[in-house]
DNA sequence: AATTTACGTCAGCCTTGTTGACATTCCAAG
DNA sequence: CTTGGAATGTCAACAAGGCTGACGTAAATT
Protein backbone atom coordinates (compact mmCIF):
# COMPACT_ATOMS: atom_id res chain seq x y z
CA UNK A 1 0.00 0.00 0.00
CA UNK A 2 1.52 3.27 -1.14
CA UNK A 3 1.82 6.25 1.14
CA UNK A 4 -0.09 8.52 -1.22
CA UNK A 5 -2.82 10.12 0.86
CA UNK A 6 -1.64 8.95 4.22
CA UNK A 7 1.92 10.12 4.17
CA UNK A 8 4.35 9.90 7.01
CA UNK A 9 2.21 11.80 9.51
CA UNK A 10 -0.90 9.65 9.12
CA UNK A 11 -2.84 12.50 7.59
CA UNK A 12 -5.60 10.55 5.94
CA UNK A 13 -8.07 12.86 7.63
CA UNK A 14 -6.74 15.86 5.73
CA UNK A 15 -7.55 14.36 2.36
CA UNK A 16 -9.56 16.49 0.01
CA UNK A 17 -12.34 13.94 0.15
CA UNK A 18 -12.26 13.85 3.93
CA UNK A 19 -12.54 17.61 4.08
CA UNK A 20 -15.42 17.65 1.63
CA UNK A 21 -17.18 15.01 3.65
CA UNK A 22 -16.72 17.15 6.71
CA UNK A 23 -18.23 20.11 4.89
CA UNK A 24 -21.26 18.10 3.90
CA UNK A 25 -21.59 16.69 7.39
CA UNK A 26 -21.80 20.23 8.72
CA UNK A 27 -24.44 21.12 6.18
CA UNK A 28 -26.71 18.16 6.80
CA UNK A 29 -26.21 18.11 10.54
CA UNK A 30 -27.03 21.78 10.89
CA UNK A 31 -30.32 21.09 9.23
CA UNK A 32 -31.13 18.43 11.77
CA UNK A 33 -29.90 20.69 14.52
CA UNK A 34 -32.46 23.38 13.72
CA UNK A 35 -35.27 21.16 12.51
CA UNK A 36 -37.06 20.50 15.80
CA UNK A 37 -37.19 24.04 17.17
CA UNK A 38 -38.09 25.28 13.70
CA UNK A 39 -41.11 23.04 13.63
CA UNK A 40 -42.30 24.43 16.94
CA UNK A 41 -41.60 28.03 15.96
CA UNK A 42 -43.58 27.57 12.76
CA UNK A 43 -46.74 26.98 14.76
CA UNK A 44 -46.26 30.35 16.46
CA UNK A 45 -45.47 33.74 15.08
CA UNK A 46 -41.77 33.35 15.70
CA UNK A 47 -38.75 32.35 13.70
CA UNK A 48 -35.23 31.17 14.18
CA UNK A 49 -34.12 34.70 14.97
CA UNK A 50 -36.42 34.80 17.98
CA UNK A 51 -35.11 31.47 19.14
CA UNK A 52 -31.55 32.70 19.04
CA UNK A 53 -32.36 35.83 21.01
CA UNK A 54 -34.29 33.90 23.64
CA UNK A 55 -31.56 31.31 23.90
CA UNK A 56 -28.79 33.78 24.61
CA UNK A 57 -30.84 35.93 26.94
CA UNK A 58 -31.58 32.82 28.92
CA UNK A 59 -27.95 31.86 29.00
CA UNK A 60 -26.73 35.32 29.96
CA UNK A 61 -29.47 37.00 31.93
CA UNK A 62 -28.95 40.71 32.23
CA UNK A 63 -26.85 41.11 29.12
CA UNK A 64 -27.09 44.37 27.27
CA UNK A 65 -28.37 44.94 23.79
CA UNK A 66 -24.89 45.52 22.45
CA UNK A 67 -23.60 42.33 23.99
CA UNK A 68 -26.40 40.41 22.38
CA UNK A 69 -25.65 42.17 19.13
CA UNK A 70 -22.06 41.04 19.32
CA UNK A 71 -23.04 37.45 20.01
CA UNK A 72 -25.58 37.23 17.24
CA UNK A 73 -23.56 39.15 14.72
CA UNK A 74 -26.44 41.02 13.16
CA UNK A 75 -27.29 44.71 12.87
CA UNK A 76 -29.19 46.47 15.60
CA UNK A 77 -32.05 47.14 13.19
CA UNK A 78 -32.41 43.46 12.57
CA UNK A 79 -32.18 42.53 16.21
CA UNK A 80 -34.56 45.28 17.18
CA UNK A 81 -37.31 43.95 15.00
CA UNK A 82 -37.06 40.70 16.89
CA UNK A 83 -36.64 42.19 20.35
CA UNK A 84 -39.63 44.45 19.86
CA UNK A 85 -41.99 41.55 19.28
CA UNK A 86 -40.49 39.74 22.26
CA UNK A 87 -41.16 42.77 24.45
CA UNK A 88 -44.66 43.26 23.10
CA UNK A 89 -45.51 39.63 23.70
CA UNK A 90 -44.10 39.80 27.20
CA UNK A 91 -41.38 37.20 26.73
CA UNK A 92 -38.48 39.51 27.45
CA UNK A 93 -38.16 42.49 29.70
CA UNK A 94 -35.49 45.16 29.90
CA UNK A 95 -34.21 46.68 33.10
CA UNK A 96 -32.33 49.94 33.01
CA UNK A 97 -28.68 49.43 33.83
CA UNK A 98 -27.68 50.16 37.41
CA UNK A 99 -24.38 51.84 36.74
CA UNK A 100 -25.05 52.97 33.19
CA UNK A 101 -28.62 54.02 32.63
CA UNK A 102 -28.28 53.93 28.86
CA UNK A 103 -28.02 50.18 28.94
CA UNK A 104 -31.02 47.92 28.74
CA UNK A 105 -30.35 44.71 30.57
CA UNK A 106 -32.35 41.89 29.07
CA UNK A 107 -34.15 39.18 31.00
CA UNK A 108 -36.66 36.50 30.15
CA UNK A 109 -40.04 36.72 31.82
CA UNK A 110 -41.60 33.53 33.10
CA UNK A 111 -43.44 33.28 29.81
CA UNK A 112 -40.21 33.76 27.92
CA UNK A 113 -38.48 31.14 30.02
CA UNK A 114 -41.31 28.77 29.22
CA UNK A 115 -40.79 29.19 25.50
CA UNK A 116 -37.07 28.81 25.93
CA UNK A 117 -37.62 25.54 27.74
CA UNK A 118 -39.98 24.27 25.07
CA UNK A 119 -37.53 25.00 22.29
CA UNK A 120 -34.43 23.92 24.06
CA UNK A 121 -35.99 20.70 25.30
CA UNK A 122 -36.60 19.77 21.69
CA UNK A 123 -33.14 20.74 20.59
CA UNK A 124 -31.43 19.12 23.52
CA UNK A 125 -33.31 15.90 22.94
CA UNK A 126 -31.71 15.53 19.56
CA UNK A 127 -28.34 16.54 20.91
CA UNK A 128 -28.66 14.03 23.70
CA UNK A 129 -29.56 11.26 21.29
CA UNK A 130 -26.62 12.10 19.08
CA UNK A 131 -24.25 12.29 22.05
CA UNK A 132 -25.51 9.02 23.41
CA UNK A 133 -25.18 7.30 20.07
CA UNK A 134 -21.70 8.62 19.50
CA UNK A 135 -20.24 8.20 22.98
CA UNK A 136 -18.15 10.46 25.22
CA UNK A 137 -14.96 10.14 23.21
CA UNK A 138 -16.70 11.31 20.05
CA UNK A 139 -18.39 14.14 21.88
CA UNK A 140 -15.05 15.36 23.06
CA UNK A 141 -13.77 15.37 19.49
CA UNK A 142 -16.90 17.01 18.21
CA UNK A 143 -16.49 19.93 20.55
CA UNK A 144 -12.79 20.23 19.81
CA UNK A 145 -13.24 20.46 16.07
CA UNK A 146 -16.16 22.86 16.29
CA UNK A 147 -14.18 25.11 18.55
CA UNK A 148 -11.27 25.10 16.15
CA UNK A 149 -13.63 26.03 13.34
CA UNK A 150 -14.89 29.22 14.97
CA UNK A 151 -13.60 32.69 14.29
CA UNK A 152 -11.39 33.69 17.22
CA UNK A 153 -13.83 36.40 18.21
CA UNK A 154 -16.70 33.94 18.28
CA UNK A 155 -14.59 31.49 20.23
CA UNK A 156 -14.29 34.08 22.93
CA UNK A 157 -18.04 34.52 23.03
CA UNK A 158 -18.42 30.79 23.19
CA UNK A 159 -15.99 30.30 26.00
CA UNK A 160 -17.86 32.67 28.21
CA UNK A 161 -19.16 36.19 28.17
CA UNK A 162 -17.46 38.72 30.34
CA UNK A 163 -18.99 39.15 33.74
CA UNK A 164 -22.54 40.40 33.34
CA UNK A 165 -24.36 42.55 35.87
CA UNK A 166 -27.12 40.62 37.57
CA UNK B 1 -18.14 13.14 45.31
CA UNK B 2 -21.83 12.47 44.69
CA UNK B 3 -23.03 10.69 41.58
CA UNK B 4 -25.35 13.53 40.62
CA UNK B 5 -24.48 14.40 37.06
CA UNK B 6 -22.11 11.58 36.37
CA UNK B 7 -24.21 8.63 37.41
CA UNK B 8 -23.23 5.04 37.08
CA UNK B 9 -22.70 5.12 33.32
CA UNK B 10 -20.23 8.03 33.30
CA UNK B 11 -22.73 10.27 31.58
CA UNK B 12 -21.16 13.61 32.37
CA UNK B 13 -21.40 14.47 28.69
CA UNK B 14 -25.19 14.28 28.81
CA UNK B 15 -25.46 17.04 31.36
CA UNK B 16 -27.80 19.87 30.55
CA UNK B 17 -24.88 22.23 30.52
CA UNK B 18 -22.90 19.97 28.23
CA UNK B 19 -25.78 19.77 25.81
CA UNK B 20 -26.24 23.53 25.83
CA UNK B 21 -22.57 24.01 25.20
CA UNK B 22 -22.85 21.67 22.26
CA UNK B 23 -25.73 23.68 20.89
CA UNK B 24 -23.77 26.88 21.12
CA UNK B 25 -20.74 25.24 19.60
CA UNK B 26 -22.84 24.32 16.58
CA UNK B 27 -24.14 27.84 16.30
CA UNK B 28 -20.80 29.59 16.45
CA UNK B 29 -18.97 27.00 14.40
CA UNK B 30 -21.51 27.14 11.60
CA UNK B 31 -20.89 30.83 11.35
CA UNK B 32 -17.21 30.23 10.90
CA UNK B 33 -17.95 27.46 8.49
CA UNK B 34 -19.82 29.73 6.09
CA UNK B 35 -17.86 32.92 6.70
CA UNK B 36 -15.12 32.51 4.10
CA UNK B 37 -17.23 31.50 1.10
CA UNK B 38 -19.77 34.14 2.08
CA UNK B 39 -17.13 36.82 1.89
CA UNK B 40 -16.21 35.72 -1.61
CA UNK B 41 -19.80 35.42 -2.76
CA UNK B 42 -20.52 38.92 -1.53
CA UNK B 43 -18.11 40.34 -4.05
CA UNK B 44 -20.06 38.65 -6.84
CA UNK B 45 -23.73 38.52 -7.57
CA UNK B 46 -24.19 35.21 -5.80
CA UNK B 47 -25.31 34.04 -2.42
CA UNK B 48 -25.09 31.01 -0.21
CA UNK B 49 -27.83 29.33 -2.18
CA UNK B 50 -25.70 29.43 -5.31
CA UNK B 51 -22.79 28.01 -3.41
CA UNK B 52 -24.84 25.08 -2.22
CA UNK B 53 -26.11 24.29 -5.70
CA UNK B 54 -22.66 24.50 -7.22
CA UNK B 55 -21.21 22.39 -4.45
CA UNK B 56 -23.61 19.51 -4.89
CA UNK B 57 -23.56 19.61 -8.67
CA UNK B 58 -19.82 19.34 -8.47
CA UNK B 59 -20.02 16.46 -6.08
CA UNK B 60 -22.66 14.59 -8.06
CA UNK B 61 -22.23 15.49 -11.70
CA UNK B 62 -25.21 14.54 -13.78
CA UNK B 63 -27.75 14.63 -10.97
CA UNK B 64 -31.26 15.60 -11.84
CA UNK B 65 -33.16 18.63 -10.65
CA UNK B 66 -35.32 16.56 -8.36
CA UNK B 67 -32.31 14.91 -6.80
CA UNK B 68 -30.80 18.29 -6.13
CA UNK B 69 -34.13 19.42 -4.75
CA UNK B 70 -34.13 16.51 -2.32
CA UNK B 71 -30.60 17.23 -1.17
CA UNK B 72 -31.14 20.92 -0.62
CA UNK B 73 -34.59 20.58 0.87
CA UNK B 74 -36.08 23.67 -0.75
CA UNK B 75 -38.95 24.19 -3.12
CA UNK B 76 -38.41 23.92 -6.85
CA UNK B 77 -39.38 27.55 -7.28
CA UNK B 78 -36.64 28.57 -4.92
CA UNK B 79 -34.07 26.33 -6.51
CA UNK B 80 -35.10 27.39 -9.98
CA UNK B 81 -34.39 31.02 -9.32
CA UNK B 82 -30.87 30.04 -8.43
CA UNK B 83 -30.38 27.54 -11.24
CA UNK B 84 -31.61 30.02 -13.80
CA UNK B 85 -28.92 32.54 -12.96
CA UNK B 86 -26.33 29.78 -12.98
CA UNK B 87 -27.45 28.76 -16.47
CA UNK B 88 -27.53 32.32 -17.71
CA UNK B 89 -24.07 33.00 -16.40
CA UNK B 90 -22.80 29.81 -17.96
CA UNK B 91 -21.71 28.12 -14.74
CA UNK B 92 -24.01 25.14 -15.03
CA UNK B 93 -25.34 23.28 -18.03
CA UNK B 94 -28.15 20.77 -18.31
CA UNK B 95 -28.08 17.73 -20.53
CA UNK B 96 -31.31 15.99 -21.37
CA UNK B 97 -31.51 12.61 -19.70
CA UNK B 98 -30.54 9.66 -21.89
CA UNK B 99 -33.20 7.24 -20.77
CA UNK B 100 -35.75 9.71 -19.48
CA UNK B 101 -35.86 12.80 -21.60
CA UNK B 102 -37.81 14.79 -19.04
CA UNK B 103 -34.83 14.84 -16.75
CA UNK B 104 -32.23 17.57 -16.89
CA UNK B 105 -28.90 16.28 -15.79
CA UNK B 106 -26.84 19.04 -14.24
CA UNK B 107 -23.15 19.61 -14.80
CA UNK B 108 -20.70 22.37 -14.03
CA UNK B 109 -19.05 24.13 -16.94
CA UNK B 110 -15.38 24.93 -16.70
CA UNK B 111 -16.37 28.35 -15.44
CA UNK B 112 -18.65 26.79 -12.86
CA UNK B 113 -15.94 24.42 -11.75
CA UNK B 114 -13.63 27.39 -11.32
CA UNK B 115 -16.06 29.09 -8.99
CA UNK B 116 -16.57 25.87 -7.10
CA UNK B 117 -12.86 25.57 -6.61
CA UNK B 118 -12.54 29.13 -5.42
CA UNK B 119 -15.26 28.71 -2.83
CA UNK B 120 -14.35 25.28 -1.70
CA UNK B 121 -10.67 26.10 -1.42
CA UNK B 122 -11.60 28.76 1.08
CA UNK B 123 -13.95 26.52 2.97
CA UNK B 124 -11.59 23.59 2.98
CA UNK B 125 -8.76 25.74 4.24
CA UNK B 126 -10.68 26.45 7.41
CA UNK B 127 -11.75 22.83 7.71
CA UNK B 128 -8.17 21.70 7.28
CA UNK B 129 -6.93 24.09 9.91
CA UNK B 130 -9.59 22.91 12.34
CA UNK B 131 -8.86 19.25 11.60
CA UNK B 132 -5.17 19.78 11.98
CA UNK B 133 -5.58 21.61 15.25
CA UNK B 134 -7.93 19.00 16.64
CA UNK B 135 -6.22 15.84 15.46
CA UNK B 136 -7.47 12.63 13.84
CA UNK B 137 -9.15 11.29 16.96
CA UNK B 138 -11.23 14.42 17.34
CA UNK B 139 -12.09 14.46 13.65
CA UNK B 140 -13.42 10.96 13.95
CA UNK B 141 -15.65 12.00 16.84
CA UNK B 142 -16.74 15.14 15.07
CA UNK B 143 -18.00 13.18 12.11
CA UNK B 144 -19.67 10.59 14.29
CA UNK B 145 -21.67 13.11 16.27
CA UNK B 146 -22.67 15.12 13.22
CA UNK B 147 -23.87 12.00 11.52
CA UNK B 148 -25.94 11.05 14.53
CA UNK B 149 -27.47 14.51 14.51
CA UNK B 150 -28.84 14.29 10.99
CA UNK B 151 -32.36 13.34 10.07
CA UNK B 152 -32.30 9.77 8.81
CA UNK B 153 -33.27 10.91 5.34
CA UNK B 154 -30.45 13.39 5.23
CA UNK B 155 -28.07 10.79 6.54
CA UNK B 156 -28.83 8.73 3.50
CA UNK B 157 -28.10 11.67 1.23
CA UNK B 158 -24.89 12.22 3.11
CA UNK B 159 -23.73 8.65 2.89
CA UNK B 160 -23.99 8.67 -0.85
CA UNK B 161 -26.49 9.45 -3.50
CA UNK B 162 -27.99 6.64 -5.46
CA UNK B 163 -26.14 5.76 -8.61
CA UNK B 164 -26.28 8.70 -10.97
CA UNK B 165 -26.20 8.42 -14.75
CA UNK B 166 -22.91 9.69 -16.09
C1' DA C 1 -19.68 72.37 27.08
C1' DA C 2 -18.68 69.15 23.67
C1' DT C 3 -18.25 64.59 22.25
C1' DT C 4 -19.11 59.82 22.35
C1' DT C 5 -21.82 55.82 23.52
C1' DA C 6 -26.03 52.99 23.84
C1' DC C 7 -30.05 52.51 22.01
C1' DG C 8 -34.25 53.17 19.09
C1' DT C 9 -36.59 54.10 14.68
C1' DC C 10 -38.01 55.20 9.87
C1' DA C 11 -37.40 53.87 5.16
C1' DG C 12 -35.99 51.01 1.63
C1' DC C 13 -33.57 47.20 -0.41
C1' DC C 14 -31.95 42.18 -1.18
C1' DT C 15 -31.82 37.13 -0.81
C1' DT C 16 -33.99 33.17 -0.11
C1' DG C 17 -37.47 30.83 1.46
C1' DT C 18 -42.81 29.86 0.97
C1' DT C 19 -47.84 28.73 -1.55
C1' DG C 20 -50.76 28.26 -5.30
C1' DA C 21 -51.88 27.71 -9.99
C1' DC C 22 -50.91 26.26 -14.50
C1' DA C 23 -48.36 24.33 -18.86
C1' DT C 24 -45.35 21.09 -21.13
C1' DT C 25 -43.22 16.94 -22.07
C1' DC C 26 -42.67 12.35 -21.60
C1' DC C 27 -42.80 7.64 -19.36
C1' DA C 28 -45.47 3.79 -18.12
C1' DA C 29 -49.34 1.07 -17.36
C1' DG C 30 -53.89 -0.29 -18.41
C1' DC D 1 -53.26 3.79 -27.72
C1' DT D 2 -54.89 6.47 -24.34
C1' DT D 3 -54.39 8.20 -20.01
C1' DG D 4 -52.49 9.25 -15.52
C1' DG D 5 -48.65 10.67 -13.20
C1' DA D 6 -43.78 12.25 -13.01
C1' DA D 7 -40.23 15.78 -14.04
C1' DT D 8 -39.71 20.19 -15.01
C1' DG D 9 -40.49 25.28 -15.69
C1' DT D 10 -42.94 29.56 -14.81
C1' DC D 11 -45.87 33.47 -13.14
C1' DA D 12 -47.38 35.86 -9.09
C1' DA D 13 -47.47 37.15 -4.49
C1' DC D 14 -45.80 37.07 -0.02
C1' DA D 15 -42.77 36.67 4.43
C1' DA D 16 -38.64 36.35 7.27
C1' DG D 17 -34.64 38.18 8.25
C1' DG D 18 -30.62 40.05 6.70
C1' DC D 19 -28.57 44.85 5.08
C1' DT D 20 -27.50 50.22 4.56
C1' DG D 21 -28.24 55.02 5.57
C1' DA D 22 -29.97 58.67 8.18
C1' DC D 23 -31.65 60.69 12.21
C1' DG D 24 -32.94 61.32 17.27
C1' DT D 25 -32.40 61.10 22.35
C1' DA D 26 -30.52 60.34 26.72
C1' DA D 27 -26.69 59.53 29.42
C1' DA D 28 -21.81 59.05 30.17
C1' DT D 29 -17.23 60.80 29.44
C1' DT D 30 -13.77 64.05 28.57
Amino acid sequence: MAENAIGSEGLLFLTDEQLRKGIEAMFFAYRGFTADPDRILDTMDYGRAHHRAVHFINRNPGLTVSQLLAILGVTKQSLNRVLRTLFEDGLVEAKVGRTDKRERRLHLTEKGAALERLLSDAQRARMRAAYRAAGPQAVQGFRTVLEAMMDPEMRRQYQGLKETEA
Side-chain angles (χ1 to χ4, degrees), chain A residues 13-163:
Chain A
F13 70 115
L14 289 176
T15 293
D16 220 73
E17 174 62 19
Q18 291 288 315
L19 295 169
R20 286 181 190 274
K21 270 305 205 186
I23 287 169
E24 288 175 2
M26 276 299 279
F27 174 69
F28 290 123
Y30 199 79
R31 284 252 291 277
F33 171 69
T34 55
D36 303 322
D38 278 359
R39 253 189 299 275
I40 296 172
L41 289 158
D42 269 7
T43 72
M44 319 183 194
D45 256 9
Y46 300 118
R48 211 177 279 182
H50 300 84
H51 182 191
R52 290 199 274 260
V54 164
H55 171 94
F56 284 108
I57 294 172
N58 175 251
R59 290 281 281 168
N60 308 282
L63 48 37
T64 66
V65 173
S66 17
Q67 285 174 325
L68 186 52
L69 236 28
I71 293 172
L72 297 176
V74 298
T75 59
K76 65 176 173 176
Q77 292 92 328
S78 195
L79 175 58
N80 224 264
R81 200 160 30 193
V82 168
L83 277 186
R84 197 167 357 177
T85 76
L86 294 176
F87 287 139
E88 284 166 0
D89 298 353
L91 301 183
V92 173
E93 53 186 20
K95 294 172 182 165
V96 173
R98 280 208 306 263
T99 66
D100 186 333
K101 291 179 192 158
R102 291 169 305 177
E103 295 175 340
R104 305 177 67 195
R105 306 236 158 211
L106 306 171
H107 300 266
L108 293 186
T109 63
E110 188 37 59
K111 194 174 164 194
L115 176 62
E116 197 286 327
R117 248 173 278 128
L118 182 64
L119 295 173
S120 104
D121 279 354
Q123 196 160 39
R124 281 205 312 279
R126 183 183 292 252
M127 233 359 160
R128 190 178 299 112
Y131 274 21
R132 201 190 303 276
Q137 269 276 291
V139 167
Q140 172 64 36
F142 165 74
R143 289 272 297 273
T144 304
V145 173
L146 288 189
E147 214 164 312
M149 211 179 322
M150 297 175 195
D151 276 338
E153 200 181 336
M154 286 302 107
R155 193 173 310 126
R156 259 174 276 128
Q157 298 287 1
Y158 168 73
Q159 283 165 346
L161 297 198
K162 337 294 164 231
E163 335 65 62

